[in-house]
């Protein structure tokens, strides 16, 4: 990122009857465009909506008993903690989380963890499908918002941040909000460069030099490359910033379209692109406090078992690709009142994360993420694995290249990840060869 001509300035944003001051940094990007940088404040009237209703079929069996945003991650968190931390850290303090499938675990996590100040009018609340427009559930992400417009009418925001709930990243949304306000667009879409071969699972953005989106293809079979790199595509992160009136108009038109799938990326964004109402925000321009050169710009879609596993491998090196230990932009959650982890009888953990309450007794753990309240008994070998809370691994057991969900029982002498043919007969094995045992499973 170039910083030529960087300067701090203040402009005023009219929000209802209030005026908020937003402190900005501007700089020239590699194309010579003036870009918006760090924001010291936030326009007062922004409502956050987090889309957390997805089934997460590609993460099965981790989603057999919970919604995808409730899946544990990183030894201490749930996936939804990342988006909520980013929004709260940026100053958004009115957030509605729209849920639908298997939402109990997610509802409980948010209600017991995410307490803001009601005295100051702050809240994070889950909103289940309520069939407000008839006896039907949500038919898509756009329909979820359309059926929940009472939230918008109650709060009367000037801007609405619509973010996904199942990505691992750090981002300061306030900078995107400031860029949206200055652009005058109806919607701003956050985008990131990804390898073209991986772009088939995303919305792919084409934009002109001014940042206006000229084309948006949802999950194309042949993703277009970028002008400067034919092997890269500019993908949507699933994070959108709307001016409220523009969103209401688009949702109402979409609801009347019988040919629509009522999806944000598949229908709403292309509709607004066709109406010249859409701009792009380049995630590479987002500056997060405390980020290192190694983890700046990190973003992972963990929608498959292999992606979920690989994101964990990004955490455990000496200089991690994604640094959980950035105290200037913390990933927030609540933890159980457990004692510290304990290593006894020469139990060791190398290049690993180990959660509170875990006991490693005369066992070896390498390059793994071990959650809280895990017991690993004498002689066990755990390598390149993700172990979730409450799991028990017996004496002499071997666990390699595996994901063990909560409360899995591994009997003494059991071997997981050693004999691939046997693993495929007994367990779920991902295309990349990761062995997965679901919640409460008994290993064989």
């Amino acid at each position: 990122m170039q910083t030529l001509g960087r300067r701090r300035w203040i402009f005023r944003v009219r929000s209802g009857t209030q005026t908020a001051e937003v402190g900005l940094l501007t700089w020239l990007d590699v194309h010579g465009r003036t870009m918006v940088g760090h924001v010291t404040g936030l326009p007062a009237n922004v409502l956050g909506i987090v889309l957390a209703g997805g089934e997460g079929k590609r993460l099965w069996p981790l989603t057999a008993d919970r919604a995808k945003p409730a899946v544990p991650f990183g030894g201490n968190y749930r996936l939804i903690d990342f988006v909520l931390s980013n929004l709260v850290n940026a100053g958004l303090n009115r957030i509605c989380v729209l849920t639908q499938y298997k939402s109990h675990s997610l509802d409980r996590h948010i209600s017991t963890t995410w307490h803001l100040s009601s005295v100051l009018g702050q809240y994070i609340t889950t909103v289940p499908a309520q069939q407000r427009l008839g006896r039907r559930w949500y038919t898509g992400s756009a329909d979820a918002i359309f059926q929940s417009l009472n939230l918008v009418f109650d709060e009367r925001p000037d801007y609405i941040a619509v973010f996904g709930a199942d990505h691992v990243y750090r981002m300061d949304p306030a900078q995107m909000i400031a860029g949206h306000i200055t652009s005058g667009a109806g919607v701003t879409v956050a985008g990131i460069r990804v390898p073209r071969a991986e772009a088939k699972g995303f919305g792919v953005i084409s934009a002109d030099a001014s940042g206006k989106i000229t084309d948006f293809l949802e999950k194309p079979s042949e993703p277009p490359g970028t002008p400067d790199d034919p092997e890269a595509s500019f993908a949507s992160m699933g994070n959108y910033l709307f001016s409220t009136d523009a969103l209401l108009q688009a949702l109402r038109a979409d609801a009347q379209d019988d040919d629509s799938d009522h999806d944000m990326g598949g229908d709403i964004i292309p509709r607004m692109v066709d109406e010249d109402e859409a701009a792009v925000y380049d995630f590479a321009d987002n500056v997060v406090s405390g980020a290192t050169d190694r983890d700046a710009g990190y973003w992972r879609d963990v929608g498959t078992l292999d992606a979920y596993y690989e994101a964990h491998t990004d955490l455990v090196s000496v200089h991690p690709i994604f640094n959980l230990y950035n105290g200037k932009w913390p990933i927030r959650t609540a933890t159980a009142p457990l004692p510290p982890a304990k290593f006894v009888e020469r139990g060791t953990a190398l290049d690993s994360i180990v959660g509170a309450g875990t006991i490693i007794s005369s066992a070896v753990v390498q390059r793994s993420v071990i959650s809280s309240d895990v017991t690993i008994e004498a002689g066990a070998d755990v390598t390149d694995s993700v172990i979730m809370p409450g799991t028990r691994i017996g004496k002499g057991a071997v666990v390699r290249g595996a994901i063990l969900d909560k409360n899995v029982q591994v009997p003494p002498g059991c071997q997981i990840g050693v004999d691939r043919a046997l693993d495929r007969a007994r367990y779920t094995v991902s295309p990349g060869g990761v062995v997965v045992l679901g919640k409460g499973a008994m290993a064989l």
Side-chain angles (χ1 to χ4, degrees), residues 249-334:
Q249 181 177 340
L251 289 174
R252 287 165 176 155
D254 178 76
Q256 298 299 317
D257 185 352
D258 293 335
D259 295 326
S260 174
D261 291 324
H262 310 299
D263 182 75
M264 293 300 294
D267 300 289
I268 297 297
I269 301 304
R271 178 186 295 272
M272 298 185 73
V273 169
D274 291 343
E275 296 172 353
D276 291 331
E277 281 286 319
V280 66
Y281 175 78
D282 191 342
F283 182 55
D285 293 325
N286 198 258
V287 181
V288 173
S289 298
T292 65
D293 291 339
R294 187 167 172 79
D295 75 347
Y298 181 96
W299 178 85
R300 291 291 182 274
D301 178 358
V302 291
T304 67
L305 291 171
D306 286 323
Y308 177 85
Y309 176 83
E310 290 163 5
H312 278 86
T313 67
D314 292 341
L315 304 177
V316 296
S317 64
V318 176
H319 302 290
I321 301 174
F322 184 68
N323 179 23
L324 290 175
Y325 301 89
N326 179 0
K328 294 183 178 180
W329 195 271
I331 305 302
R332 303 176 186 275
T333 194

